[in-house]
Amino acid sequence: MKNIKHLLGLVAFALALHGAASAQTPAWPERPVTIVVPFPAGGSTDMVARALAQKLQDQLGQSFIVDNKPGATGTIGAGQVKRATPDGYTLMVSSLGTYVIAPHLQKTVPYDALKDFDYLSVLVQAPNVLVASPAQKATTVAEVIAQLKAAPGKVSFASSGNGSSDHLAAEVFWQQSGTDGLHIPYKGGSPAINDLLGGQVDFSFPNVNAVLSHIKAGKLRAIAVTGDKRSPVLPDVPTLAEAGVKGAEVYSWQGFAAPHGLPPAVKAKLGTAAAAAMKDPAVKKRMEEQGLEIVANTPEQFAAFQAREFARWKTLIDTRKITAD
């Protein structure tokens, strides 16, 4: 009898401890979760975030609300996320600019990209594509290089702004091909593409998804993609490496992150749920139709990737003396 009472006492004690632990670490999520997008609504990053939010809501049974906080090339919204409590209720979906480029271009940013975030998953990526305006005759990379060498610093390349992925792709291309073009920065991708379509500028390196419809309509000529393999939506367009320009691989990407210090269980749950969300057949189909490739890697893989990208773009920006002005 004593043994039975002793055993029952131990069971009761264990249950009490479990109850206390549960009270201290409540199940997540128990209330709505905010996903900050540090750019305006309607762009690629916003679209990816909204697709993710819907699937997380379906999986986890709680509301996931996208909150657009644009300004200062994404750094204002990222700063707000950095200052948020790391409890899993404030998250962020942003492009590579926030995570690995802006810290090298701007004199001050309100966060340390290497220390202030828990990286959860690279959701999608897309190569950039070298496109020619309708007024240009070049159809191959070799012809573009010949044109650049014939008129150093005079052949114009449009971009969506200083330090954007289309600007940096051009800088990498010039560096690796031993040429130099004329960078024409715009305040956003739309005006850059409009002037490219109108022949006011010669070439550009936009994200594939930004100009895919114009390429398919024959309004822009795709010459090469910057990926390490051909894009599934442009299978007939060679990579720069295939065309003889090595070491010029550039991808634009969107990543999922949180303030540094997430509880390990919440971090693991978010990483797993995000990967499952992006691999959902409907989401995958929608992304791939627009030229976005699913990555959906792990928190550990994203953290290592972010560190590599951070170092790579710092080196390029310093070497090429690129500024935000």
Side-chain angles (χ1 to χ4, degrees), residues 44 47 125-131 165-166 169 193 204-217 220 222-235 237-239 250-254 287-293:
S44 296
M47 182 269 292
Q125 67 179 16
N128 293 53
V129 56
L130 172 58
V131 289
S165 70
D166 39 351
I193 293 167
S204 186
F205 272 98
N207 304 147
V208 164
N209 52 296
V211 290
L212 184 60
S213 62
H214 296 307
I215 293 169
K216 289 187 172 181
L220 292 174
I223 295 175
V225 295
T226 64
D228 57 7
K229 59 184 181 300
R230 295 194 180 197
S231 170
V233 293
L234 295 173
V237 179
T239 66
V250 176
Y251 282 93
S252 177
W253 46 268
Q254 275 77 25
M287 297 296 155
E288 289 179 346
E289 285 175 347
Q290 298 184 54
L292 299 172
E293 303 166 11

Side-chain angles (χ1 to χ4, degrees), residues 110-180:
Y111 57 88
D112 184 329
L114 294 175
K115 297 178 181 178
D116 288 338
F117 301 114
D118 278 352
Y119 291 106
L120 302 169
S121 183
V122 176
L123 304 172
V124 296
Q125 67 179 16
N128 293 53
V129 56
L130 172 58
V131 289
S133 79
Q136 288 299 308
K137 295 181 179 179
T139 60
T140 67
V141 171
E143 289 172 349
V144 175
I145 291 173
Q147 193 171 335
L148 284 162
K149 289 185 175 180
K154 294 182 180 179
V155 180
S156 58
F157 284 69
S159 85
S160 57
N162 288 309
S164 59
S165 70
D166 39 351
H167 173 203
L168 297 184
E171 295 281 355
V172 172
F173 174 65
W174 297 333
Q175 183 182 58
Q176 297 304 109
S177 62
T179 61
D180 201 12

Side-chain angles (χ1 to χ4, degrees), residues 7-315:
L7 181 60
L8 290 173
L10 289 174
V11 170
F13 180 67
L15 289 172
L17 283 178
H18 176 74
S22 297
Q24 292 171 3
T25 56
W28 175 92
E30 290 193 319
R31 54 186 170 86
V33 178
T34 297
I35 299 179
V36 172
V37 172
F39 303 109
S44 296
T45 303
D46 181 68
M47 182 269 292
V48 171
R50 292 181 187 277
L52 173 68
Q54 182 59 58
K55 288 301 173 182
L56 291 179
Q57 187 166 302
D58 294 345
Q59 287 183 59
L60 301 173
Q62 188 56 263
S63 296
F64 282 75
I65 302 162
V66 173
D67 186 12
N68 297 90
K69 296 286 186 182
T73 62
T75 61
I76 290 176
Q80 292 179 359
V81 173
K82 174 247 180 176
R83 295 189 296 272
T85 303
D87 55 9
Y89 290 98
T90 302
L91 309 170
M92 177 169 68
V93 172
S94 188
S95 68
L96 76 165
T98 304
Y99 297 126
V100 299
I101 295 173
H104 307 308
L105 284 176
Q106 300 184 22
K107 292 180 180 178
T108 58
V109 294
Y111 57 88
D112 184 329
L114 294 175
K115 297 178 181 178
D116 288 338
F117 301 114
D118 278 352
Y119 291 106
L120 302 169
S121 183
V122 176
L123 304 172
V124 296
Q125 67 179 16
N128 293 53
V129 56
L130 172 58
V131 289
S133 79
Q136 288 299 308
K137 295 181 179 179
T139 60
T140 67
V141 171
E143 289 172 349
V144 175
I145 291 173
Q147 193 171 335
L148 284 162
K149 289 185 175 180
K154 294 182 180 179
V155 180
S156 58
F157 284 69
S159 85
S160 57
N162 288 309
S164 59
S165 70
D166 39 351
H167 173 203
L168 297 184
E171 295 281 355
V172 172
F173 174 65
W174 297 333
Q175 183 182 58
Q176 297 304 109
S177 62
T179 61
D180 201 12
L182 175 64
H183 175 223
I184 308 293
Y186 288 78
K187 292 183 178 179
S190 293
I193 293 167
N194 286 339
D195 273 9
L196 188 67
L197 289 166
Q200 282 82 21
V201 284
D202 302 320
F203 300 98
S204 186
F205 272 98
N207 304 147
V208 164
N209 52 296
V211 290
L212 184 60
S213 62
H214 296 307
I215 293 169
K216 289 187 172 181
K219 295 178 181 179
L220 292 174
R221 186 183 313 114
I223 295 175
V225 295
T226 64
D228 57 7
K229 59 184 181 300
R230 295 194 180 197
S231 170
V233 293
L234 295 173
D236 297 328
V237 179
T239 66
L240 285 174
E242 286 178 299
V245 181
K246 309 293 185 182
E249 291 78 20
V250 176
Y251 282 93
S252 177
W253 46 268
Q254 275 77 25
F256 189 33
H260 178 65
L262 279 181
V266 174
K267 183 176 180 179
K269 193 172 186 178
L270 274 167
T272 300
M278 300 313 296
K279 292 175 182 176
D280 176 87
V283 172
K284 189 171 184 287
K285 182 174 183 292
R286 180 183 173 193
M287 297 296 155
E288 289 179 346
E289 285 175 347
Q290 298 184 54
L292 299 172
E293 303 166 11
I294 302 298
V295 180
N297 60 9
T298 66
E300 294 76 19
Q301 289 169 331
F302 187 9
F305 174 72
Q306 188 273 342
R308 292 195 302 271
E309 285 274 281
F310 190 90
R312 179 197 186 187
W313 294 122
K314 182 182 188 306
T315 298

